[in-house]
Structure formats: structure tokens, C-alpha cells
Amino acid sequence: METSERLIESAQALLWERGYIGTSPKAIQERAGAGQGSMYHHFRGKPDLAVTAMRRSAAQLRAQAEEQIARGGTALERATAYLVRERDAMRGCRVGRMAMDPDVIASPELRAPVEETFAWLTGHLAGVIAEGVAAGELRPGLDPHDTAAAIVAVVQGGYVLARAADSQEPFDAAVRGAVALLAAQAAPGA
């Protein structure tokens, strides 16, 4: 594997584990088995490498979400598939983790992959909900964007609850609740 790939993968893992502030260039280099010169040959510095790693993590998250949502079925089934996808709630979300880091939030460059990913996810889920409303599967008054934002918030908030309790159960309970609320929006006779 090329040095640049090892650096990106190492940065991805460390950012997920420790966040941006807790991830030093030295730790990335050690995990990647790369020297300082190699890192600065491929990247302008820690922020450049972090953005590259975050964009890679974001692309992976989008691919996973797309795979779950695209499996077919009704809009309700597709939204539910996204919610119930197996996740390790104790690890949290690779992308959502970055939103908790003050250095990431303070930097438009570092924040961009996080913001773009959640905008994409919310928009994609809103499209699924809108299809369900248009097809008569879901109640006509259901707002697709607000519903999609709630689904994303349940998953991200579920990670926080699970980590706070040191247990997967709060995450699973939040997902079960969201699935029940979403199912209650099925159009009569659908």
C-alpha cells in the first residue's frame, strides 16, 4: 500500500478514535509507518490530511447509507433499513464524531466534509420520504425534510446516548422508537 494511503487510513482511524484535537501528526505517522518527510511530501499538514481522511470517511458513510436505502421496497421499508442497519453505537459515527471537535467546527475547511455529508444524507432520506408521500404510502401531511432530519438526529443522538451510558441499548431504543414513529405515518390502507 502506498504511503499516502497508509497515512489517510491511519488518519481516518485516529480521527474516529480520538477526534481532531487528540490526533497528532506524530501518531498518524507512527500508525502509518511513515516518516514526517513522507507525510509532508503528500499533504500540506495535519489539516490537509485530516480533510482528505474525513472526505474518505464521509464517502464510506454515504456508500453504506446508499446501500441500505437502495435495497428496494416501499419508502417506509427503505427509511427503516437505514435506521436498523447494524452499527457499533459505542464507536459512534466517523463523521458525526468530528462535529464534537471545536477545532473542526471553527474551521470551514475541516467542517465542510461533515456539513456536506449530513446535508446529503438528510436530502437523500427526504427524497425517499417524499416518494412515499407521493405514492400514497405515507401520510400526505408528513414533511419529508423535517422527517429526514429527525431520522438523522435519532441516529446521531443515539450514538451520544449509547456512549454516555456505555451501552448499546440507548441507541437501539432510540432506533426502535424512530421506526415506530415512522410506521405510524403510514397512510391508512397502505
Side-chain angles (χ1 to χ4, degrees):
M1 182 184 310
E2 278 191 40
T3 303
S4 62
E5 283 299 310
R6 289 195 320 269
L7 286 164
I8 293 166
E9 287 184 7
S10 295
Q12 280 183 276
L14 289 167
L15 288 169
W16 194 4
E17 292 168 15
R18 302 178 184 181
Y20 182 80
I21 291 173
T23 299
S24 69
K26 183 176 173 84
I28 295 168
Q29 293 160 19
E30 286 176 359
R31 184 171 255 183
Q36 183 176 6
S38 293
M39 181 174 152
Y40 290 98
H41 170 74
H42 294 287
F43 302 97
R44 292 184 312 273
K46 177 183 170 182
D48 184 38
L49 174 54
V51 167
T52 302
M54 289 165 60
R55 287 201 179 282
R56 173 89 51 91
S57 292
Q60 291 167 344
L61 182 140
R62 286 191 304 272
Q64 288 173 333
E66 180 61 37
E67 180 184 334
Q68 293 302 315
I69 295 168
R71 288 201 176 152
T74 67
L76 181 60
E77 289 168 341
R78 292 185 293 153
T80 299
Y82 170 75
L83 280 163
V84 301
R85 175 175 66 84
E86 187 174 330
R87 295 173 173 92
D88 180 355
M90 300 307 296
R91 289 200 71 196
C93 174
R94 286 179 181 248
V95 176
R97 168 84 165 91
M98 298 297 99
M100 305 307 290
D101 199 306
D103 284 4
V104 171
I105 296 308
S107 165
E109 179 186 19
L110 291 170
R111 189 179 62 247
V114 178
E115 191 174 4
E116 292 163 5
T117 299
F118 288 125
W120 175 88
L121 182 57
T122 302
H124 198 61
L125 285 166
V128 169
I129 301 300
E131 289 172 21
V133 171
E137 299 168 11
L138 297 169
R139 295 181 185 272
L142 188 63
D143 184 281
H145 185 269
D146 290 353
T147 303
I151 291 169
V152 173
V154 163
V155 171
Q156 293 302 310
Y159 286 133
V160 172
L161 295 174
R163 289 174 65 109
D166 194 27
S167 168
Q168 177 82 24
E169 179 51 29
F171 179 89
D172 293 343
V175 166
R176 286 191 304 270
V179 168
L181 289 170
L182 195 55
Q185 292 302 311

